[in-house]
Amino acid sequence: MAKSDNVELNCPMEIGLNLLSGKWRLRIVWILLKGPIRFNELQRKLQPITTKTLTRELRDLEYHGLIRRTVFPEVPPKVEYSITALGNSVQPILKELCIWGEEYRTTAHK
């Protein structure tokens, strides 16, 4: 897979950073925490992400168990992405990051 395959297992911080680092991963997880979403809708919310990049990021997050890809047996096929229990466990960290970002925005730029 991607960079997260070379995780140094001795350092928990490095594991977390490798699984969630990059321009798009935290954004993808944050959106999926709000509920299941289809590929095209997710791509619209993440503009200007490319199809190739989004596909790669989704596959890697799925491979590591943070998200789930569900294919519905319909014509045309319907695919939704959702968060797993493991992915949901990142929610408190992301909420704290939002709080920190808001505090930074209001105090650092006065």
Side-chain angles (χ1 to χ4, degrees), residues 1-7 18-19 25 28-29 32 54-69 81-82 84 86-87:
M1 295 266 36
K3 62 185 171 194
S4 48
D5 280 345
N6 299 324
V7 172
N18 277 306
L19 290 174
R25 290 192 185 182
I28 291 168
V29 170
L32 291 176
L54 180 54
T55 299
R56 183 183 65 239
E57 296 295 340
L58 289 170
R59 285 181 182 162
D60 201 51
L61 288 167
E62 181 183 17
Y63 174 80
H64 291 288
L66 297 169
I67 67 169
R68 176 183 309 106
R69 180 179 186 264
Y81 293 90
S82 58
T84 62
L86 179 61

Side-chain angles (χ1 to χ4, degrees), residues 94-105:
L94 296 182
K95 283 186 176 182
E96 285 298 318
L97 188 58
C98 279
I99 292 167
W100 181 85
E102 182 60 33
E103 290 172 1
Y104 175 83
R105 180 171 60 184

Side-chain angles (χ1 to χ4, degrees), residues 15-98:
I15 293 170
L17 288 174
N18 277 306
L19 290 174
L20 296 170
S21 69
K23 184 175 180 177
W24 303 107
R25 290 192 185 182
L26 287 177
R27 293 177 190 179
I28 291 168
V29 170
W30 184 250
I31 291 169
L32 291 176
L33 284 168
K34 297 172 185 163
I37 192 168
R38 295 180 71 175
F39 185 91
N40 287 337
E41 185 180 353
L42 183 58
Q43 188 173 21
R44 278 192 296 277
K45 289 179 183 255
L46 292 169
Q47 286 297 324
I49 194 169
T50 64
T51 301
K52 179 180 177 181
T53 300
L54 180 54
T55 299
R56 183 183 65 239
E57 296 295 340
L58 289 170
R59 285 181 182 162
D60 201 51
L61 288 167
E62 181 183 17
Y63 174 80
H64 291 288
L66 297 169
I67 67 169
R68 176 183 309 106
R69 180 179 186 264
T70 305
V71 180
F72 296 92
E74 300 176 1
V75 177
K78 177 182 172 185
V79 177
E80 279 187 349
Y81 293 90
S82 58
I83 202 82
T84 62
L86 179 61
N88 196 51
S89 68
V90 177
Q91 187 172 14
I93 298 163
L94 296 182
K95 283 186 176 182
E96 285 298 318
L97 188 58
C98 279

